[in-house]
Amino acid sequence: DKDRVLVKSDGEYTYFASDCAYYIDKRERGSSKCIYLLGADHHGYVNRLRAVAACAGDNPDENIEVLIGQLVKIMRNGEEVKLSKRAGDLILLTDLVEAVGVDAVRYSLIRYPVDTPLLLDFDLMTSRTNENPVYYVQYAHARINALLNTAAELGINWEHGELAFVPQLLDGPAEQDLLAQLAQFPAVVATSAELREPHRIARYLEDLATGYHRFYDSCRVLPAADQAVGELNIARLHVCRATQVVIYNGLQLLGVAAPERM
């Protein structure tokens, strides 16, 4: 709609010059579609970024996609931390990572839709309780790992032992619900990618963790001290391992660690 400055009168490059170079570089590295995430007050950049694609000989409708995020609110000790760029009251992302850890920051940012305001609570992100979503999901992974280690210590060879895996035995309500949740994972990933909504994976993992805890509380996985290992134990151990794999893969997609111990 009008000319945009790339090089200022003093010879310095503008931010927009970096955007142009970045787009060209991504295309030269083989990206067929370049996806930009801009802040809530940068709607004016959408058309100029599309113009960059057109100037490069590309189709703006096919080769570039611009998403608009929303503002971030930071809470600490139950009160909002007032930020002002003009007054110099800032919190750098590196400071946030140093304060609460990269997993907590990354997960907290990604579990909300792009087009909704973000609320980052310092106290919640550092808490080791089920109220902290990333801790809740990571704990489920660590809990399953501990269970499988216990099975190994008891000498239960559930993967290659004499007892077969009989899935028909998994007919209880909690087992069926958990299996249904596990089956949804590929569709959740595909939809998240197609709609550019990775928060769907985070919310799915939280629901899956809840489903696993419900399964674990209502279904005995390991035999009691006076009982022999049965086919039902083997089947449930397979379900535990499947759940652990899905949680691990989901966290890997989000760039979040899946700890074996917590």
Side-chain angles (χ1 to χ4, degrees):
D1 53 349
K2 63 180 180 180
D3 291 340
R4 302 290 177 180
V5 177
L6 295 177
V7 182
K8 295 184 285 187
S9 59
D10 61 2
E12 291 290 323
Y13 293 107
T14 62
Y15 290 133
F16 186 49
S18 301
D19 291 334
C20 296
Y22 182 54
Y23 177 82
I24 298 299
D25 181 64
K26 285 197 73 172
R27 291 288 284 130
E28 290 179 346
R29 285 186 281 123
S31 297
S32 59
K33 183 184 286 286
C34 300
I35 302 174
Y36 286 76
L37 175 61
L38 303 182
D41 53 350
H42 288 86
H43 288 83
Y45 269 83
V46 175
N47 285 335
R48 70 184 75 172
L49 286 172
R50 287 174 57 83
V52 171
C55 289
D58 293 335
N59 184 342
D61 293 329
E62 295 180 0
N63 299 115
I64 192 167
E65 183 175 345
V66 183
L67 307 176
I68 300 295
Q70 292 298 314
L71 298 177
V72 178
K73 179 184 295 186
I74 298 179
M75 303 291 292
R76 196 168 203 171
N77 298 324
E79 297 181 356
E80 181 181 354
V81 179
K82 297 297 183 181
L83 304 177
S84 172
K85 186 175 181 181
R86 187 167 300 171
D89 297 328
L90 301 173
I91 294 180
L92 300 178
L93 188 59
T94 51
D95 296 334
L96 196 61
V97 169
E98 185 176 342
V100 303
V102 65
D103 285 341
V105 173
R106 187 171 283 166
Y107 191 92
S108 298
L109 288 173
I110 211 167
R111 72 184 297 266
Y112 290 96
V114 170
D115 57 356
T116 61
L118 293 175
L119 175 63
L120 300 182
D121 190 323
F122 267 89
D123 302 321
L124 182 61
M125 288 192 292
T126 55
S127 68
R128 296 177 63 84
T129 68
N130 290 341
E131 300 300 318
N132 181 352
V134 65
Y135 177 85
Y136 185 65
V137 174
Q138 289 179 321
Y139 174 71
H141 181 272
R143 186 181 193 183
I144 297 172
N145 189 71
L147 174 71
L148 297 180
N149 286 340
T150 301
E153 293 171 359
L154 294 174
I156 302 175
N157 186 358
W158 57 273
E159 291 184 283
H160 307 292
E162 296 180 358
L163 294 176
F165 170 47
V166 184
Q168 292 85 348
L169 297 176
L170 302 169
D171 56 0
E175 296 163 322
Q176 290 290 304
D177 290 344
L178 182 56
L179 289 171
Q181 284 183 296
L182 292 172
Q184 294 171 8
F185 183 57
V188 170
V189 174
T191 302
S192 297
E194 182 179 353
L195 300 180
R196 316 288 187 243
E197 294 181 345
H199 71 276
R200 292 174 178 265
I201 296 177
R203 298 306 176 102
Y204 166 80
L205 292 177
E206 292 166 29
D207 290 340
L208 180 61
T210 298
Y212 176 76
H213 293 314
R214 187 182 300 118
F215 156 81
Y216 185 85
D217 291 340
S218 61
C219 300
R220 186 175 187 88
V221 178
L222 300 178
D226 57 344
Q227 293 180 333
V229 179
E231 290 182 336
L232 182 57
N233 300 117
I234 299 300
R236 287 174 174 171
L237 283 166
H238 275 277
V239 172
C240 292
R241 176 57 178 161
T243 305
Q244 185 187 39
V245 169
V246 170
I247 293 176
Y248 176 87
N249 289 340
L251 289 174
Q252 288 294 296
L253 287 173
L254 302 180
V256 177
E260 295 184 353
R261 299 180 63 183
M262 293 181 70

